[in-house]
Amino acid sequence: QVQLVESGGGLVQAGGSLRLSCAASGSIVSINRMGWYRQAPGKQRELVAAITSGGSENYADTVKGRLAISRDNAKNTVSLQMNSLKPEDTAVYYCTADVAEVTPTVYIRYWGQGTQVTVSS
């Protein structure tokens, strides 16, 4: 049993910044990939950024250069620094963690409950 708790969402004006954070806790042997997804009204959920335990990063084309993902393996946390925000970034943001709970090579993807980010124009 693993829980993900997100924080840092809120309302900002276009061009502003936010930092989202997510902490994983529970029966964790190891975490491979951690990431952030978002879902805007009327749209499908999409990958924003992801990072492996080794530090390899992956970003959606729409956020490259503006958003940066990082993690602390010792604390089982992942963060998303969001700069130069645009109204189209408005969405509910979800963090994910691929967790091995018992068998080191078997991973289960856990999702946070989501945090709202609203960017006004």
Side-chain angles (χ1 to χ4, degrees):
Q1 297 180 343
V2 175
Q3 299 81 42
L4 301 180
V5 179
E6 300 139 322
S7 62
L11 173 65
V12 298
Q13 292 186 342
S17 298
L18 284 174
R19 184 176 178 86
L20 307 183
S21 297
C22 176
S25 62
S27 302
I28 300 172
V29 173
S30 64
I31 302 177
N32 184 7
R33 179 183 182 271
M34 302 186 79
W36 291 93
Y37 288 74
R38 68 185 181 188
Q39 187 166 25
K43 296 184 178 180
Q44 295 182 335
R45 185 175 297 178
E46 64 175 351
L47 174 68
V48 178
I51 185 169
T52 68
S53 60
S56 296
E57 303 171 19
N58 185 36
Y59 296 93
D61 290 339
T62 53
V63 305
K64 288 180 179 178
R66 300 188 299 113
L67 278 61
I69 191 170
S70 62
R71 65 185 286 173
D72 186 329
N73 292 333
K75 297 181 179 180
N76 291 329
T77 59
V78 62
S79 297
L80 184 69
Q81 180 64 48
M82 309 169 69
N83 299 325
S84 301
L85 285 166
K86 304 175 181 179
E88 49 263 44
D89 293 318
T90 296
V92 177
Y93 284 71
Y94 301 87
C95 75
T96 65
D98 296 344
V99 180
E101 296 178 81
V102 178
T103 304
T105 58
V106 178
Y107 290 88
I108 299 173
R109 176 161 294 177
Y110 285 88
W111 293 78
Q113 68 179 33
T115 184
Q116 177 71 47
V117 172
T118 302
V119 184
S120 62
S121 59

